[in-house]
Amino acid sequence: PTISVVVTNNDDSSTINNTSPPTTTNASAITATFTTSEVTTDFVSSHVVVNGGSLDSFSGSGTTYTAVITPSSSIVRINVSANRFTDAVGNLNTALTQFVMFSDTTAPTLSEVTPVPTPDNDNTPSYTFTTNETGTLTTSITEGFTGGASVNITSTGNNTVTFAALGDGSYAGKTLTLTDAAGNATNLSITTFVIDTTAPSAFTVGAVSSTGNTVVSNYWNSTNTGIDVIVPVASDTSLTGGTIQLRANVAGGGYENLGDAYTIQGSDLGTNKTISNTAGTFEALSAGLAEGESVAFTAIITDSSSNSTTGTASGTTLAVDQTAPTISEQTVVTTPSNDTTPTFTITSNEAGAITVSQTITSPSPANAISGNTDITFDILAAGTYNSETVSVRDAAGNDSNTVTLTTFVIDTTAPSAFT
C-alpha cells in the first residue's frame, strides 16, 4: 500500500502544502492526516518519524490516521519509511513522500527611526522605520500608501514609506503592521502628527513709520535710526512658532526681504505686531537706498506647518530724503537802526520750516521758499544782537546748517535835548 499526508494549521485550519521551497508557517501546532491506499491494521505512531517537532495524539483506523505535531525547530520533516506496515494480505507499504515545512513563530521587531514631521503641509508624508524581517506592511491609516493598501518590504534595516494623500487633521493612535512570510505580525505605533495645508488668513500690512530723532510721516530722513512696521496677527494657534517676514519694494524694483524673519509667539495672536529694523538694515535694501526713491512694504506670514500668505501692501510708503537744506544770510539787518521790527533775508536751496532764535512775524506761516525769503522779527528791545540764529527744516525732517546772523544794533533813544 501507498501512504500520503495532508497537513493543516491548527491555528486557522488552513492547509500547509508540501512545496519546494518549503512553505513557512507560524502554526503553534499542526495536524497530519495520513491516508493509506488500502486498509491496514498495523500502522502505529512509531512508524511516523518527525524531525524538528514532537508527535502526539496519534489515532485512526482503516485507511485514515491523524497525529498532532508541535514544531520545535525552524524546519519540520515528517517521514514514514517503506516496509513499516502491511495490508490485509501482508504487502509492505511504500515510503511516504517526505513532508517538509519551515516553522517561524517569531514576530518581526520594528522601531520608529524618523517620524512624520509635525505639523507640516506635506500631505503625502514619508515615515522611516527599521525592521529585522521582511514581509508585507499595512497601516491603520485609511488612505494607505502611495503604492496602495500595502507595501512589500524586501529588505531588513531602515525602510521609508510614503503615505497616500492625507486630509488635514491630527493622526493619533495610528499604526504600521508588518506581517512576515510565516504570518507573524507586529504593530508599530506611529508618533502622532498633524497635516495642515490651510494657508494663514488674508491680511493687510498696517502703518509703517520711521523712528528716532525727527520723525516725519511718509519720509525717511538723515536723522532716523530705525523703522517700524505693523503686521496684524490672527487669533490662529497654527501661527504660533511660524514667522513674519517683512518685504520691501524699492522704487518698483520688486520685493525683497527686509531684515530677518520674526518668530510668532503665542502672545502675538490676535494683536497688531510691531516689527522693528535698524537704519542699517533698511538702508541696505536694493544695494543701498538712493535719494528720491520710494519704498513700499508688505509681509509674508508663514504658519507652523509652512503654509504662507503674502499680505496686501501697507498703505504707507516712505520717500527717501536724506539731503539737508543749505542756507545762507543774503541781506543783513540794517545796523544801527531804530527799527524794532527789522527784516533780514536768507537764501535756501529747499523750501522748509523756518526756526529763528527770536519770534518772527513774517513770513506767516514761517516757511522758507527755495530761493530768497525775507524774515521780519517781532518787536525787539533796544540793544545789541550778536548771536541770533536761523535754520530751515525741509519736508522730510532734515535740518539745514544753522546760520548766525550778522550782529546788529537796535537804538531807539533820541539824542539829548539841547538849546
Side-chain angles (χ1 to χ4, degrees):
T2 61
I3 184 170
S4 61
V5 65
V6 174
V7 178
T8 57
N9 184 332
N10 286 12
D11 296 334
D12 60 13
S13 300
S14 62
T15 299
I16 302 172
N17 295 317
N18 194 17
T19 59
S20 180
T23 300
T24 301
T25 178
N26 66 347
S28 59
I30 59 176
T31 295
T33 300
F34 300 95
T35 302
T36 60
S37 61
E38 297 180 58
V39 173
T40 178
T41 59
D42 57 355
F43 180 44
V44 295
S45 62
S46 61
H47 296 158
V48 181
V49 177
V50 178
N51 301 112
S54 59
L55 184 145
D56 194 15
S57 303
F58 183 87
S59 64
S61 61
T63 59
T64 305
Y65 299 82
T66 61
V68 175
I69 297 171
T70 303
S72 60
S73 178
S74 60
I75 302 177
V76 179
R77 296 182 174 89
I78 304 172
N79 289 286
V80 177
S81 299
N83 304 322
R84 303 297 289 173
F85 62 88
T86 62
D87 61 14
V89 295
N91 297 308
L92 292 168
N93 69 287
T94 59
L96 172 72
T97 299
Q98 178 178 245
F99 180 91
V100 182
M101 73 174 200
F102 292 147
S103 176
D104 177 6
T105 58
T106 302
T109 299
L110 306 179
S111 61
E112 186 175 76
V113 175
T114 306
V116 174
T118 185
D120 199 57
N121 64 352
D122 180 0
N123 68 345
T124 56
S126 294
Y127 180 86
T128 301
F129 67 97
T130 187
T131 175
N132 66 339
E133 289 194 58
T134 60
T136 301
L137 187 74
T138 57
T139 179
S140 63
I141 294 175
T142 304
E143 292 83 352
F145 306 103
T146 53
S150 63
V151 174
N152 188 24
I153 301 300
T154 58
S155 62
T156 59
N158 288 358
N159 283 267
T160 298
V161 292
T162 301
F163 295 107
L166 305 177
D168 282 12
S170 177
Y171 290 79
K174 302 302 181 182
T175 59
L176 294 180
T177 301
L178 182 67
T179 305
D180 65 17
N184 303 296
T186 296
N187 291 331
L188 173 62
S189 295
I190 300 171
T191 299
T192 298
F193 63 92
V194 174
I195 300 295
D196 174 12
T197 60
T198 302
S201 301
F203 66 98
T204 299
V205 175
V208 179
S209 61
S210 56
T211 60
N213 299 312
T214 304
V215 174
V216 178
S217 298
N218 301 108
Y219 280 102
W220 177 260
N221 65 43
S222 58
T223 73
N224 297 145
T225 59
I227 185 170
D228 286 349
V229 181
I230 296 176
V231 179
V233 181
S235 295
D236 178 355
T237 56
S238 73
L239 298 180
T240 301
T243 60
I244 300 172
Q245 176 63 65
L246 296 181
R247 304 271 286 168
N249 184 348
V250 180
Y255 279 97
E256 59 185 290
N257 289 346
L258 170 58
D260 296 328
Y262 168 77
T263 300
I264 300 171
Q265 309 299 311
S267 58
D268 296 325
L269 303 184
T271 69
N272 288 322
K273 178 64 183 178
T274 299
I275 300 177
S276 302
N277 278 282
T278 64
T281 299
F282 179 59
E283 292 177 353
L285 287 170
S286 189
L289 295 179
E291 191 76 3
E293 290 181 326
S294 178
V295 185
F297 301 87
T298 188
I300 298 173
I301 292 181
T302 303
D303 66 18
S304 57
S305 297
S306 300
N307 303 295
S308 62
T309 295
T310 300
T312 299
S314 170
T316 306
T317 59
L318 293 186
V320 179
D321 180 351
Q322 296 183 295
T323 302
T326 300
I327 66 170
S328 61
E329 187 178 41
Q330 186 71 12
T331 304
V332 301
V333 174
T334 301
T335 187
S337 172
N338 66 352
D339 182 358
T340 58
T341 59
T343 297
F344 66 97
T345 303
I346 65 168
T347 187
S348 173
N349 65 344
E350 285 190 67
I354 298 169
T355 299
V356 182
S357 56
Q358 296 283 347
T359 303
I360 64 173
T361 57
S362 177
S364 180
N367 293 324
I369 63 171
S370 178
N372 291 345
T373 300
D374 295 332
I375 301 172
T376 301
F377 287 107
D378 199 357
I379 297 172
L380 299 177
T384 299
Y385 293 83
N386 58 9
S387 60
E388 305 309 323
T389 60
V390 60
S391 63
V392 172
R393 174 175 292 175
D394 67 16
N398 300 295
D399 288 324
S400 72
N401 57 303
T402 298
V403 171
T404 299
L405 299 181
T406 300
T407 299
F408 60 94
V409 175
I410 303 294
D411 179 7
T412 58
T413 301
S416 301
F418 64 93
T419 302

